[in-house]
Amino acid sequence: MNMEKHESPILAQWDITTGCNFSCSFCLTNSGKRLTGELGFEKAKIIVDKLYSGGILFLRILGGEPFFRKDIIKVMHYAAKKGMLISFSTNASLITEDYAKMLKEIEQNFNYFQISLYGIDKESYKETTKSSNGFQLVNNGIKNLKKFDLNPYVFWVLTADNINYVESAYRLAQDWELPALRISPKLNLGRASGEVDSKLLNNDSYWRNAMDKFSKLNSLVMKNGAPQVQLHARPFLGEFLHLKTGLPYFYITCKAASTMVYVDYKGDASPCPFAGFMPSSYRSSFDSQEKISLLEHSMDEIWQSEVFKTYRRLQNSDENPNKVFRNCPHLISGICNPCIYTPCTCRDTIEMINKAVA
């Protein structure tokens, strides 16, 4: 697969802060404390200017918790005035009625946005986020959004500990009248890096339970119509899960260094949003963690740098250092790109599921 034809940046993912009022055990980005070097508003505007002048149309704002920044609405409004299309993810706990009103003013510039849901009640929220009033804050934040007819997706990170809550999570999304519940398995990144969740990866009873829960969710969708439920999976695995459970899958094709640039809280650019949070064993295939300041360099200089060129080269299935399923129809079509850090795992996961439900 030739990546050269994709060398034109149109998307930026920006982890605009490391600060977060929650402390989830499986946080991808180790968020919590705001780190030294976070850009103020004036420099954040320079980042937006640089991205826009470099061809970026789609701006994905993440964190940390974006609303941990008091000026996040100002940053979003500034990007919206340039015509950029904005996506963002929030835990909703810090969204006041005023914030919701200001979000409504730029709704036409939203590509999508989602609420990360970490429990179904006060107790489960406290267990996961270490926040004693987290659930109430989230409930209030969603009600504030609904006052202005703002309807985010609900995003649920599936773990071995919360799998039995997914039907309740569905009912919460239904009560809030939100359009969809998206479910993604916990990843071995960030704060969860180095953990081996045997209950999730290698336990037959877990997979039997998961497939049963997914099938029950599909029955609820068929009965109620809304909200929809989608499973996050690479296409090869996603098609298998759809066949077995009836649930559709969603997958956002990896665009790292092909059409996307990643920017961190200091304004430094690199190809991959997850590189710095990978377990050390994953990074052995590509040791360079070089970042390039977007404040000091143009998008073109960054895009044509050696680190971005190397990343594009290694995404080629013939040069990728990992185990790649080269006959995968989705790889051949370009819908699914090989990761330079992790091997293709769809077939291994399908084998585990088949063994569990046999």
Side-chain angles (χ1 to χ4, degrees):
M1 180 173 59
N2 183 6
M3 301 299 297
E4 295 299 314
K5 64 182 180 181
H6 298 298
E7 290 188 42
S8 179
I10 60 171
L11 165 67
Q13 177 168 317
W14 190 4
D15 284 352
I16 197 166
T17 182
T18 60
C20 186
N21 56 322
F22 290 164
S23 184
C24 300
S25 60
F26 48 76
C27 179
L28 293 180
T29 58
N30 293 316
S31 298
K33 182 179 180 181
R34 179 181 280 135
L35 298 180
T36 302
E38 182 177 301
L39 301 180
F41 178 60
E42 292 304 319
K43 288 188 176 179
K45 288 199 300 181
I46 295 174
I47 295 296
V48 174
D49 291 340
K50 289 275 191 103
L51 293 173
Y52 181 74
S53 64
I56 299 299
L57 175 61
F58 299 94
L59 180 61
R60 184 184 298 158
I61 298 177
L62 304 174
E65 165 53 44
F67 288 86
F68 203 78
R69 287 184 62 124
K70 301 298 184 183
D71 62 359
I72 187 61
I73 299 290
K74 291 171 62 179
V75 175
M76 289 182 177
H77 272 247
Y78 187 76
K81 286 180 180 179
K82 290 183 172 293
M84 300 177 87
L85 299 178
I86 301 167
S87 306
F88 64 97
S89 179
T90 173
N91 64 34
S93 67
L94 301 176
I95 296 182
T96 63
E97 185 172 341
D98 286 342
Y99 279 174
K101 181 180 180 180
M102 288 185 281
L103 287 172
K104 184 66 177 181
E105 293 171 358
I106 56 171
E107 183 184 16
Q108 69 275 10
N109 288 85
F110 289 170
N111 189 27
Y112 75 90
F113 77 107
Q114 66 183 28
I115 301 297
S116 296
L117 187 65
Y118 297 124
I120 57 168
D121 53 26
K122 179 179 178 179
E123 289 72 26
S124 56
Y125 249 84
K126 184 176 181 180
E127 180 180 354
T128 301
T129 69
K130 311 301 184 292
S131 173
S132 59
N133 63 342
F135 183 73
Q136 185 60 50
L137 291 173
V138 170
N139 191 52
N140 291 342
I142 291 174
K143 287 181 178 179
N144 287 331
L145 292 169
K146 292 295 294 184
K147 287 178 184 177
F148 297 93
D149 196 29
L150 293 169
N151 297 288
Y153 294 107
V154 176
F155 188 79
W156 180 268
V157 177
L158 187 70
T159 72
D161 296 320
N162 69 21
I163 186 171
N164 290 320
Y165 298 158
V166 290
E167 290 173 80
S168 296
Y170 171 86
R171 292 187 177 93
L172 274 177
Q174 185 180 39
D175 290 344
W176 287 324
E177 298 182 331
L178 297 179
L181 170 66
R182 290 182 158 188
I183 300 172
S184 179
K186 187 197 78 170
L187 300 177
N188 185 32
L189 299 175
R191 197 168 288 139
S193 178
E195 295 180 2
V196 178
D197 193 341
S198 60
K199 290 184 289 185
L200 182 63
L201 297 177
N202 301 306
N203 190 288
D204 288 351
S205 64
Y206 170 83
W207 283 113
R208 282 193 295 271
N209 194 13
M211 298 300 281
D212 178 63
K213 294 296 183 186
F214 294 160
S215 296
K216 288 180 178 178
L217 284 172
N218 186 57
S219 296
L220 286 172
V221 173
M222 296 294 290
K223 177 183 177 181
N224 299 318
Q228 296 296 304
V229 177
Q230 301 168 330
L231 303 177
H232 183 210
R234 286 178 174 263
F236 197 83
L237 174 60
E239 289 183 351
F240 169 84
L241 293 172
H242 175 65
L243 179 65
K244 292 293 185 181
T245 70
L247 290 176
Y249 71 93
F250 74 99
Y251 175 65
I252 301 174
T253 305
C254 175
K255 300 174 177 67
S258 59
T259 58
M260 188 200 79
V261 60
Y262 168 66
V263 183
D264 70 11
Y265 67 99
K266 296 185 294 185
D268 292 337
S270 58
C272 176
F274 305 115
F277 311 113
M278 287 281 182
S280 58
S281 59
Y282 290 179
R283 290 200 295 267
S284 61
S285 62
F286 179 57
D287 294 328
S288 175
Q289 295 295 303
E290 180 183 351
K291 295 183 178 182
I292 307 170
S293 173
L294 188 54
L295 293 171
E296 299 175 5
H297 298 272
S298 69
M299 269 296 301
D300 184 63
E301 289 173 325
I302 290 170
W303 203 250
Q304 299 304 326
S305 66
E306 286 304 312
V307 65
F308 274 74
K309 288 180 179 179
T310 299
Y311 201 101
R312 285 191 283 270
R313 176 177 60 81
L314 292 176
Q315 274 189 316
N316 187 307
S317 60
D318 293 329
E319 298 196 45
N320 189 284
N322 296 301
K323 175 185 174 184
V324 176
F325 179 27
R326 290 181 174 82
N327 292 328
C328 175
H330 306 289
L331 179 68
I332 294 170
S333 68
I335 293 174
C336 187
N337 292 336
C339 176
I340 74 168
Y341 295 104
T342 59
C344 293
T345 59
C346 287
R347 291 184 299 172
D348 291 342
T349 304
I350 289 171
E351 183 178 340
M352 284 191 292
I353 295 172
N354 280 330
K355 176 177 176 290
V357 301

